[in-house]
Amino acid sequence: MEEFDTVVVGAGQAGVAMSEHLTNLGIDHVVLERDRVAERWRSERWDSLVANGPAWHDRFPNMKFDCEDDAFPDKERVAAYFEAYAKRFNAPIRTGVEVTAVTPHMGRFVVETSEGVINARHVVAATGPFQKPAIPPVIPVDVGPLQMHSNAYRNPGQLPDGAVLVVGGGSSGVQIADELMKAGRKVYLSIGPHDRPPRRYRERDNVWWLGVLGKWNADSPGPGTEHVTIAVSGAEGGKTIDFRRLAHQGMTLLGMTAGYKGGLVTFADDLPTNLAAGDANYLSVLDDADAYIARHGLDLPEEPEARIIPDDPECVRNPITELDLREAGISTILWATGYKFDFSWIKSDTFDALGRPLHQRGVSREPGLYFLGLPWQTRRGSSFIWGVWHDAKFIADQIAIQTGYMSYTGTAAIRVPEEA
């Protein structure tokens, strides 16, 4: 049985960042990855995917991307970035090794893998937030059209001929829907509650505004916003998502997918409400940005055209609440509905009823067990490339502190009180 101080599970952005900080602290560790470094960027995303943040921002502090600072790196460049970064400090990554179970035992952990068993004092679950595709049980799988999650979508040519119903108005859903429409497909897009920040405003990218306005450091979603998705895109050099413009170009917008019966898919009548809330979020960012510019006396050009909201298209004025799949010619239902956690391999009572980790800044209730790369782990930016790097440093420091305690060899005698 091999022994390490720390086992890191996963060699994506979280695992690579974790390994760097552990290396800097001189902590003996190994990173186990069942596939290749940054595998999900390589094989579980569509072909044309690019990062949602510009290269100057969405990176680790110690290495730049090999592209222009304002460019949005494609998925292959992102994967290559993490691979190259790991080589800079000879990260002890073992690829092709699957972790099948992690079990606490006598103050340590038994880590069972496809290649044997490892004993460790600490374990970091660095598998990130995109673990198991989440498809709501709304439409039976045998109704006729092909159904797939966005993690299996690659390009329009992969799908059978016909119209496509895309469910989910976050970044993935809207980018895929736009790509399909540009490929000549008839596209229906089901949209729920969302934020849609400007891509750029007054010569600054959205990520810059989130930074100077302190929004990256928000420690939790606002009340009632836990399930609000973000519609932002780096595609085509980066552009602001505007659902109404997509509809004016031919896309049919729908409210949230609600149910299915006898070939009919039903939708909530919340489309106008969802769009209005997205507009309010968009305009609030412009307001905050204008106020910041005025307060600091910045010389940034005004952009009044950014406040123009297109007229409501027909599908918004008269929302469709029922759609016959056959009559609409829909051959594919594509679920861009996010992911859920799958930590079934961790045998510890540190999860809630939905399987979400119970932790504080990544430190779990199980001594020696840590999580990294979770959404809102410490702040809004935690699941982003740059954010996970900072969270990894905190966890590495916690491991170092615990290692320091365990190495204490003081021999101070225990003084026994004398009998009276």
Side-chain angles (χ1 to χ4, degrees):
M1 181 183 294
E2 289 187 279
E3 292 196 9
F4 291 93
D5 180 278
T6 302
V7 169
V8 180
V9 184
Q13 60 198 42
V16 171
M18 192 74 240
S19 184
E20 179 186 13
H21 292 301
L22 292 173
T23 298
N24 291 342
L25 291 170
I27 295 175
D28 176 46
H29 71 283
V30 65
V31 182
L32 305 178
E33 167 57 52
R34 65 184 177 185
D35 293 304
R36 297 172 292 176
V37 173
E39 181 64 27
R40 290 202 169 126
W41 280 96
R42 302 175 192 273
S43 61
E44 296 189 22
R45 301 292 182 270
W46 62 96
D47 296 344
S48 64
L49 174 69
V50 299
N52 274 339
W56 68 264
H57 184 267
D58 282 8
R59 63 177 177 87
F60 289 163
N62 301 319
M63 189 174 110
K64 291 185 175 182
F65 275 97
D66 62 344
C67 61
E68 295 296 324
D69 281 350
D70 288 328
F72 297 86
D74 62 68
K75 67 171 189 172
E76 292 299 333
R77 179 172 272 121
V78 174
Y81 174 91
F82 292 123
E83 196 166 43
Y85 196 95
K87 290 178 180 177
R88 285 164 58 102
F89 60 92
N90 295 316
I93 298 174
R94 297 182 185 177
T95 57
V97 180
E98 182 176 6
V99 174
T100 56
V102 169
T103 307
H105 179 69
M106 300 292 290
R108 297 177 69 88
F109 294 91
V110 176
V111 181
E112 300 175 51
T113 81
S114 56
E115 294 192 350
V117 179
I118 298 174
N119 187 283
R121 178 176 291 163
H122 306 102
V123 171
V124 180
T127 50
F130 305 121
Q131 296 174 13
K132 187 175 182 180
I135 298 180
V138 177
I139 303 176
V141 296
D142 59 351
V143 299
L146 169 69
Q147 294 192 52
M148 68 165 57
H149 190 268
S150 59
N151 79 320
Y153 170 78
R154 297 295 174 267
N155 55 66
Q158 170 195 16
L159 306 183
D161 293 339
V164 182
L165 168 61
V166 179
V167 182
S171 293
S172 295
V174 69
Q175 289 180 54
I176 292 172
D178 191 21
E179 176 176 89
L180 289 167
M181 184 173 67
K182 286 182 168 62
R185 298 299 187 102
K186 173 59 182 175
V187 177
Y188 297 84
L189 178 60
S190 173
I191 302 170
H194 61 273
D195 287 344
R196 62 171 197 95
R199 175 73 273 172
R200 298 184 185 91
Y201 180 59
R202 298 185 70 171
E203 296 189 348
R204 293 293 184 270
D205 192 88
N206 171 62
V207 300
W208 191 87
W209 286 117
L210 289 174
V212 299
L213 294 172
K215 296 182 182 295
W216 280 125
N217 288 325
D219 59 6
S220 62
T225 64
E226 182 179 356
H227 300 293
V228 171
T229 60
I230 310 295
V232 65
S233 175
E236 301 176 25
K239 57 184 179 181
T240 297
I241 298 299
D242 191 321
F243 291 105
R244 291 181 180 81
R245 285 197 175 92
L246 291 173
H248 283 301
Q249 293 167 8
M251 190 177 296
T252 299
L253 307 180
L254 307 162
M256 286 190 68
T257 304
Y260 173 86
K261 186 176 182 180
L264 299 177
V265 181
T266 57
F267 303 91
D269 59 358
D270 58 358
L271 176 60
T273 300
N274 294 336
L275 292 180
D279 295 341
N281 167 258
Y282 169 80
L283 294 171
S284 74
V285 177
L286 306 192
D287 291 341
D288 290 345
D290 287 342
Y292 182 89
I293 290 171
R295 185 165 62 251
H296 292 272
L298 301 183
D299 184 19
L300 295 175
E302 294 187 4
E303 196 176 335
E305 63 274 16
R307 293 182 175 275
I308 299 174
I309 304 295
D311 294 335
D312 284 343
E314 172 63 22
C315 61
V316 177
R317 293 195 304 271
N318 296 292
I320 297 171
T321 57
E322 192 174 83
L323 188 66
D324 187 304
L325 294 175
R326 184 181 296 274
E327 287 185 4
I330 292 174
S331 62
T332 304
I333 301 173
L334 199 151
W335 298 92
T337 43
Y339 297 78
K340 55 186 176 181
F341 293 126
D342 181 8
F343 289 111
S344 57
W345 48 277
I346 298 179
K347 313 304 180 182
S348 174
D349 183 22
T350 187
F351 303 97
D352 66 13
L354 297 177
R356 298 174 299 193
L358 298 172
H359 68 95
Q360 185 175 21
R361 299 187 67 181
V363 181
S364 81
R365 301 196 309 185
E366 181 72 52
L369 176 64
Y370 304 86
F371 294 93
L372 181 61
L374 304 178
W376 296 92
Q377 179 160 317
T378 64
R379 70 189 99 182
R380 180 176 182 171
S382 283
S383 55
F384 291 79
I385 293 173
W386 63 271
V388 79
W389 188 91
H390 291 284
D391 285 350
K393 185 177 188 306
F394 172 79
I395 291 176
D397 287 342
Q398 304 313 302
I399 292 174
I401 290 170
Q402 292 302 315
T403 300
Y405 283 133
M406 295 302 295
S407 65
Y408 175 70
T409 59
T411 57
I414 299 176
R415 181 170 298 174
V416 180
E418 297 179 1
E419 292 185 5

